[in-house]
Amino acid sequence: MKPDRLLYPASAGLYCPSGDFYVDPVRPVARALVTHGHSDHARAGHGAVLATRETLDIMAIRYGPDFCGAAQAVAYGETIDLGGARVSFHPAGHVLGSAQIAIAANGTRFCVSGDYKRGADPTCAPYEPVACDVFITEATFGLPVFHHPNPKGEIEKIFTSLKQFPERTHLVGAYSLGKAQRVIRLLRDCGYERPIYIHGSLARLCDYYVSRGIDLGDLRPATLEKDDTTDLSGAIVVGPPSAFAERWARRFNEPLVAFASGWMMVRQRAKQGGVELPLVISDHCDWPELTETIRELQPSEVWVTHGREEALVRWCELAGIPARPLHLVGYEDEGD
Ligand SMILES: [Zn+2]
């Protein structure tokens, strides 16, 4: 049977008929396999969810304990039979608990990589290559212009800025799942030992990362009481970028806004967002990582789910690997 009869995009997402399940469905379905906890991949309201323990915990933190009818945790590498399909989850290196999902159906091996990256990240298990016939990849940064620099070099920019502006509160924008914890861990790995102040919306996820053995050091709430005279001069405050437009952010001393995202490679984006200190730190593959991964896996086919599909499809064709875009909608990653 042709691969595109065994796994194909339906309106709710990628569907496997022999196992009767969807991967990262964007609408409530009877059975969902979820790659990771970002809100565009992990949604509430499914009948049954199969995911890693961490992804299930993250979904419960974000949506409440009743986020689905029945949750089943799967360990990395464990094989589960679902109808006529065999599935297993493998580390994707994207955020805590993130997984690629291997699906074997009718003799064809698929790897749905979800979101993934190859660069080092001490806050999650590192990406593992999964042998497959059909490799299904995102292409968020699927253009040759995207090269992500060493994240530690980006973190050093915060220290340089703090030396230059020791009085200003440095507000570091980072999405609440994955990026925020990675930025905090990077600050620690670069030798920053002072307290780091966090926006309230990060607290539960940071606590969860700590409970899973990821040391984030001294974290304190970045909430100033009404009659508080401290203004966190010279402190580092981490929060979701959306919070910097709120009244909350105006209480700090001459706030200097930084933002950690792969998109900070695009000068225009930083400018539009009023970002004074862009930090190119991404939880996705850049162009070299995408193409090297495909070279390494040598799949007989590549399907590109979302992002800048056309350039990667073209690259595959030039490399002699049949490829096609799936044009999946609904995945505007919250954790780029
Ligand atoms: Zn993601």
Side-chain angles (χ1 to χ4, degrees):
M1 202 184 281
K2 285 182 69 178
D4 60 2
R5 303 297 299 273
L6 300 169
L7 190 67
Y8 53 81
S11 59
L14 262 187
Y15 178 64
C16 174
S18 52
D20 192 19
F21 61 80
Y22 291 82
V23 178
D24 291 352
V26 295
R27 288 213 296 271
V29 299
R31 178 180 284 282
L33 275 55
V34 174
T35 59
H36 67 287
H38 279 145
S39 55
D40 49 341
H41 293 260
R43 298 180 194 242
H46 303 306
V49 171
L50 181 65
T52 64
R53 174 79 270 152
E54 289 87 351
T55 295
L56 294 176
D57 289 344
I58 289 164
M59 290 175 82
I61 287 170
R62 303 188 117 185
Y63 303 130
D66 302 324
F67 67 89
C68 71
Q72 184 184 350
V74 56
Y76 288 134
E78 181 187 349
T79 302
I80 290 179
D81 286 310
L82 289 176
R86 306 200 89 186
V87 303
S88 55
F89 286 53
H90 306 270
H94 177 58
V95 297
L96 184 63
S98 64
Q100 310 172 76
I101 301 178
I103 301 166
N106 282 54
T108 302
R109 296 169 307 163
F110 297 86
C111 174
V112 185
S113 55
D115 291 338
Y116 65 106
K117 72 172 176 293
R118 307 296 303 263
D121 179 351
T123 66
C124 63
Y127 169 94
E128 282 176 14
V130 178
C132 55
D133 304 301
V134 180
F135 183 57
I136 302 170
T137 179
E138 51 117 345
T140 303
F141 295 107
L143 284 176
V145 293
F146 289 110
H147 286 250
H148 298 147
N150 183 335
K152 285 191 174 171
E154 299 300 288
I155 292 294
E156 292 293 338
K157 290 179 183 170
I158 303 176
F159 300 149
T160 306
S161 175
L162 275 168
K163 273 190 201 122
Q164 202 177 350
F165 306 108
E167 297 300 316
R168 297 181 69 181
T169 306
H170 283 56
L171 302 182
V172 182
Y175 291 112
S176 57
L177 169 59
K179 188 63 64 64
Q181 296 77 24
R182 188 177 177 209
V183 163
I184 293 167
R185 186 60 247 168
L186 277 164
L187 283 160
R188 300 308 187 198
D189 289 340
C190 292
Y192 190 79
E193 285 171 2
R194 292 172 57 190
I196 293 173
Y197 297 84
I198 58 171
H199 184 265
S201 63
L202 302 185
R204 290 191 69 199
L205 284 168
C206 287
D207 285 348
Y208 181 65
Y209 267 62
V210 171
S211 79
R212 302 301 291 188
I214 292 137
D215 183 10
L216 300 177
D218 186 355
L219 297 184
R220 299 186 189 179
T223 335
L224 301 175
E225 298 303 327
K226 244 195 187 128
D227 44 2
D228 213 331
T229 51
T230 59
D231 56 8
L232 299 183
S233 281
I236 295 178
V237 174
V238 180
S242 56
F244 297 162
E246 294 168 8
R247 268 170 59 98
W248 167 82
R250 290 200 283 273
R251 308 181 62 177
F252 302 112
N253 188 50
E254 294 181 75
L256 185 152
V257 173
F259 183 24
S261 162
W263 292 115
M264 290 300 99
M265 273 226 37
V266 183
R267 205 171 286 269
Q268 200 57 27
R269 288 232 187 183
K271 240 188 195 168
Q272 278 166 359
V275 177
E276 210 170 320
L277 187 62
L279 307 170
V280 185
I281 301 177
S282 176
D283 285 328
H284 292 264
C285 286
D286 62 6
W287 177 258
E289 288 175 85
L290 286 170
T291 52
E292 280 157 26
T293 300
I294 294 168
R295 269 208 195 94
E296 178 183 347
L297 295 176
Q298 293 287 327
S300 38
E301 242 177 89
V302 172
W303 298 353
V304 187
T305 56
H306 65 285
R308 272 122 216 92
E309 296 115 304
E310 303 304 335
L312 193 60
V313 165
R314 181 87 186 115
W315 180 90
C316 290
E317 285 165 356
L318 290 173
I321 303 166
R324 66 188 181 101
L326 294 184
H327 300 301
L328 291 187
V329 292
Y331 303 98
E332 286 80 33
D333 205 83
E334 65 152 335
D336 48 34

